[in-house]
Amino acid sequence: MAAPLAAQEAVPYSAPNGWDISQLRQGGQVAACEAMRITGMEEGLFFRHDPAETVIGFSSFASAASPFAIDVEMWFDGDRGAGQVYGMEPVEDHNGFTWRGLVMPNSEPWGELDLFASAGTVHFAYDTGTGPTQVSFPLTGSSRASKETYACVQTAGSAPAADTAGPKVIYGSCKLAVDGRVYLDMASGCPIWLENDGSGSFWINTDRDSYLGDWFAEVRPDGSGLASAWWNGVAGATHAQGFLGEDFRLGSAGCWSNARATVCAAR
C-alpha cells in the first residue's frame, strides 16, 4: 500500500509528449510515480505506479462526485463491444486532486495496461448521479509516459519492490481454445505464471516449476496492443512449441484472441 500522500515529497521527473511525471519520495526513497495529461478544466488522464499497484484514471464532469467506487465502462479505440465495466475508485494524487481510477494490483495480469500504452483513444462511460455521461481521450504519448512512469519507480534509491521482484504464480480462471476446440476451461484453481516484469507476459495451467498441465499456453504482449502466443499442441507435451500467431488482441475477461485461438487468464 502506498504511503499517505502527506508523507510524500513530489519531485518533477519528466514531461514527455504533454504528460507531466512526478516522483513521490518518502524518507529519501521512491514510493510511487504519477503521470498526468491535462486536456481541459478539471479534465484529463492519470497514470500511477508503485511497487504494489498501478492505476489508470481520468477526470471529467462529476467523475469524482461520489466518494465511493462507482461502475465505469472503459473501452479502447471505439471498440465498445470489447469494453468492460469496472468498479473505479476515487484516487487522490500528490496535489490533493481526486481522479476516478481503476486500481490494478501488480500481482495480477492486466491487459488494460498494454492497451493503455498502445491504443489511440480510451473511452469512459459512467453515471454522474444525475444521468449517464461518456467521455473520450486521445492516448497521445501514453506509451512513452507509461514506460517512463515504470522507470521512475525503478530509479536508483527506490523502495524495494518485493511484490514485483521476479516471476510469480497466482491461481484463478483460465481457458484455452484452438481451432474451434476448447482444450482447457477452469473456473478456478488454474495456476497462472506471471513474468511480473511489466510486460504482461504469462503462462496458463503451469507454475513452471513442479506442475505442468496436459494443456498449457504462453502469451507475450509486444507493447503495440498485439501479443504472440504458443501452446504445447499435444496433450502431455512439455514444451510450448506450437506457434498460434502474433496478432492476438485483448478482449474481455482477460482473454487474448486471434482468428485461430483464445487464451484467457484472470484471478
Side-chain angles (χ1 to χ4, degrees):
M1 182 65 66
L5 293 174
Q8 297 178 348
E9 172 194 8
V11 178
Y13 180 80
S14 65
N17 299 326
W19 291 79
D20 290 311
I21 302 177
S22 298
Q23 189 177 70
L24 279 58
R25 299 176 181 174
Q26 182 186 29
Q29 294 186 319
V30 179
C33 290
E34 296 178 341
M36 306 175 198
R37 187 171 188 271
I38 307 302
T39 60
M41 182 66 69
E42 296 192 352
E43 186 173 271
L45 290 171
F46 176 74
F47 188 82
R48 176 186 170 99
H49 179 69
D50 64 39
E53 58 194 24
T54 302
V55 179
I56 292 174
F58 74 100
S59 176
S60 189
F61 174 68
S63 59
S66 172
F68 306 105
I70 64 171
D71 287 343
V72 178
E73 184 182 5
M74 180 174 72
W75 66 99
F76 295 87
D77 287 340
D79 187 6
R80 192 166 188 173
Q84 293 190 64
V85 175
Y86 305 87
M88 291 197 182
E89 305 173 21
V91 178
E92 189 175 283
D93 65 24
H94 68 274
N95 294 313
F97 184 81
T98 300
W99 303 79
R100 183 62 58 181
L102 172 61
V103 180
M104 298 165 283
N106 295 336
S107 59
E108 301 179 26
W110 293 92
E112 290 86 346
L113 295 173
D114 191 61
L115 286 170
F116 183 82
S118 61
T121 55
V122 61
H123 315 267
F124 302 95
Y126 59 100
D127 195 315
T128 64
T130 59
T133 191
Q134 180 179 321
V135 63
S136 300
F137 297 94
L139 287 170
T140 306
S142 61
S143 177
R144 182 177 172 187
S146 57
K147 288 178 181 178
E148 291 198 16
T149 304
Y150 293 133
C152 169
V153 174
Q154 296 163 5
T155 299
S158 63
D163 197 40
T164 57
K168 69 180 300 178
V169 178
I170 64 171
Y171 292 84
S173 63
C174 63
K175 182 176 181 179
L176 171 63
V178 181
D179 296 329
R181 176 182 170 186
V182 177
Y183 289 86
L184 179 67
D185 191 0
M186 298 177 64
S188 63
C190 178
I192 302 167
W193 184 92
L194 306 175
E195 189 78 49
N196 212 27
D197 62 351
S199 69
S201 300
F202 65 91
W203 295 60
I204 61 169
N205 205 28
T206 178
D207 61 12
R208 302 196 69 193
D209 181 18
S210 59
Y211 176 78
L212 187 65
D214 284 343
W215 302 102
F216 61 93
E218 174 189 7
V219 174
R220 287 194 170 274
D222 63 11
S224 71
L226 300 176
S228 297
W230 297 259
W231 71 317
N232 57 329
V234 176
T238 58
H239 293 85
Q241 296 178 334
F243 185 56
L244 293 171
E246 57 186 10
D247 57 346
F248 281 75
R249 291 186 178 275
L250 181 67
S252 60
C255 294
W256 289 86
S257 302
N258 68 357
R260 185 184 177 196
T262 294
V263 183
C264 306
R267 171 162 284 183

